[in-house]
Amino acid sequence: MKDVTEAQIGDTLHLHKQPVEPLPGFKSAKPMVFAGIYPVDQSEYNNLKSAIEKLTLNDSSVTIHRDSSLALGAGWRLGFLGLLHMEVFNQRLEQEYNASVILTTPTVPYKAVLSSSKLIKEYREKEITIINPAQFPDKSKVTEYLEPVVLGTIITPDEYTGKIMMLCQARRAVQKNMMFIDQNRVMLKYLFPLNEIVVDFYDSLKSLSSGYASFDYEDAGYQTAELVKMDILLNGNTVEELVTVVHKDKAHSIGKAMCERLKDCLPRQLFEIAIQASIGSKIIARETVKAYRKNVLAKCYGGDITRKMKLLKRQAEGKKKLRKIGNIEVPKDTFIKVLKTQSSK
């Protein structure tokens, strides 16, 4: 072994050329949430790499894969057990290792079946896998999109069954089986699209069932789906970290919810901020963060109306100029707040 990560919990070690029966019953923890993590400055890459390696030594449930983004540079795609796990990991990176990182939206690997022979020649295969939402191909280039599905097993006390079934239906799940294990417990089997469970399904399930329900899933291949890429724009500029791939039927509601949560999270500026969700060139949702406003008429009492109009016009011109040159910095904790679909209101 050259690396500590090669030693997994549950491994059985034996003498050379004297194999033994491995100990049964060990299963590695399955990640429930995947997110991209990038250093704010690429010169910090090595420091962040060693910080992540040290953290994962005493938290073996985090899975790591190297990743890169056009806008954010080199980074990693990490798998976590839930949103809280991701939040704690991020806080530990900042507090224990002074690492400032950018987190991106959790995603799953999609597939696209290319339509033209020219594109197949370019990509050297008919079916391409898309891990980064920024590389999601346009509908005109593709005959169909495929999304990963999983067979989920939920075991819950029977008094929570109704609530959990409603939650599963809201996540586009298809019921496969329902079985009573004993007088009080039910086992439900559902076929879930993976992107419906990676963000906060586990958290929602636990809160609905007062923490009693358990959830496990196994890979069930891919199925066709109507998928679209949704961009979040701030004053017309795309926020790379919040680009997501969503199902066409849910695009409007997800876009509206993300814009509303961003409106609550973003600090106000001296100029107006337009928050928009778009699919291609079509805007599907919009919220506006109002600008701070100084009362320029405070020193005017009575007098001619043209004087007041002159002051207001000058203020409006200043705001317009500020909006052109002002950059909007998205606070790092905004990302996790935006992801929590159940707002704390």
Side-chain angles (χ1 to χ4, degrees):
M1 286 186 187
K2 299 277 172 69
D3 198 345
V4 181
T5 52
E6 289 177 34
Q8 297 287 329
I9 293 172
D11 280 355
T12 305
L13 303 178
H14 59 83
L15 293 169
H16 184 54
K17 291 183 180 176
Q18 291 180 30
V20 292
E21 198 66 33
L23 283 170
F26 280 104
K27 279 187 179 179
S28 54
K30 282 182 185 163
M32 300 278 179
V33 173
F34 298 88
I37 197 165
Y38 300 89
V40 172
D41 185 0
Q42 279 297 310
S43 60
E44 294 291 309
Y45 180 84
N46 288 333
N47 295 346
L48 183 59
K49 185 183 175 184
S50 65
I52 289 171
E53 281 171 359
K54 284 173 188 169
L55 262 185
T56 48
L57 275 179
N58 59 10
D59 189 354
S60 59
S61 55
V62 179
T63 59
I64 306 172
H65 300 286
R66 287 182 67 176
D67 192 17
S68 64
S69 157
L70 289 172
L72 305 168
W76 299 268
R77 189 157 294 276
L78 304 184
F80 302 97
L81 298 179
L83 265 188
L84 180 67
H85 187 201
M86 181 169 86
E87 212 168 329
V88 169
F89 191 87
N90 188 30
Q91 280 177 357
R92 285 188 67 189
L93 271 179
E94 286 181 5
Q95 289 167 10
E96 294 175 28
Y97 297 97
N98 263 344
S100 49
V101 298
I102 298 167
L103 274 166
T104 66
T105 318
T107 55
V108 297
Y110 295 99
K111 283 186 178 178
V113 180
L114 300 170
S115 54
S116 69
S117 53
K118 187 182 174 185
L119 286 164
I120 294 167
K121 199 174 180 182
E122 188 184 320
Y123 286 101
R124 294 182 182 175
E125 53 190 345
K126 191 174 183 184
E127 213 173 72
I128 55 166
T129 304
I130 309 135
I131 293 175
N132 195 333
Q135 295 161 357
F136 198 72
D138 192 54
K139 184 82 181 95
S140 58
K141 298 177 180 177
V142 170
T143 50
E144 61 177 3
Y145 295 115
L146 304 169
E147 65 177 348
V149 286
V150 292
L151 186 66
T153 307
I154 300 166
I155 296 173
T156 173
D158 60 353
E159 67 254 37
Y160 304 113
T161 310
K163 287 181 186 175
I164 289 170
M165 285 170 91
M166 283 174 70
L167 172 71
C168 294
Q169 282 166 3
R171 299 301 175 103
R172 300 192 289 124
V174 179
Q175 189 173 343
K176 291 292 177 188
N177 194 2
M178 180 177 173
M179 193 171 75
F180 279 85
I181 301 169
D182 53 34
Q183 289 181 332
N184 302 320
R185 288 186 305 157
V186 182
M187 184 166 80
L188 300 164
K189 288 208 170 192
Y190 276 91
L191 201 63
F192 285 98
L194 185 57
N195 71 333
E196 293 287 347
I197 64 168
V198 287
V199 178
D200 65 341
F201 176 78
Y202 195 58
D203 296 33
S204 306
L205 181 71
K206 284 289 182 191
S207 59
L208 275 182
S209 63
S210 310
Y212 285 112
S214 68
F215 180 64
D216 188 28
Y217 68 89
E218 58 191 68
D219 188 30
Y222 281 78
Q223 70 176 18
T224 57
E226 287 193 60
L227 304 170
V228 287
K229 183 173 90 165
M230 187 174 74
D231 296 315
I232 299 291
L233 312 174
L234 295 181
N235 281 354
N237 299 321
T238 306
V239 183
E240 175 82 17
E241 301 96 298
L242 293 173
V243 175
T244 48
V245 175
V246 293
H247 193 268
K248 195 178 178 181
D249 298 344
K250 287 192 151 194
H252 184 264
S253 57
I254 291 172
K256 195 171 189 309
M258 281 184 89
C259 288
E260 282 170 1
R261 286 194 302 279
L262 261 176
K263 184 186 177 183
D264 295 339
C265 299
L266 282 178
R268 284 173 74 185
Q269 307 286 340
L270 289 169
F271 52 91
E272 201 174 79
I273 303 173
I275 304 163
Q276 295 166 313
S278 76
I279 294 171
S281 57
K282 186 184 175 187
I283 304 294
I284 55 167
R286 177 187 164 125
E287 291 289 333
T288 307
V289 178
K290 293 284 181 219
Y292 282 124
R293 186 170 178 273
K294 182 186 173 187
N295 187 4
V296 287
L297 304 182
K299 59 189 178 190
C300 296
Y301 46 94
D304 190 14
I305 187 70
T306 53
R307 184 154 175 257
K308 291 182 182 177
M309 295 306 290
K310 184 182 170 186
L311 288 168
L312 286 169
K313 190 182 174 187
R314 191 185 294 165
Q315 184 188 35
E317 281 170 2
K319 296 255 185 217
K320 197 174 177 184
K321 189 180 174 186
L322 253 182
R323 193 174 172 191
K324 278 182 188 172
I325 59 169
N327 284 331
I328 305 153
E329 190 106 337
V330 182
K332 289 189 201 80
D333 60 343
T334 302
F335 166 78
I336 292 170
K337 285 180 189 168
V338 169
L339 286 183
K340 291 185 174 171
T341 51
Q342 292 171 328
S343 54
S344 53
K345 288 178 186 173

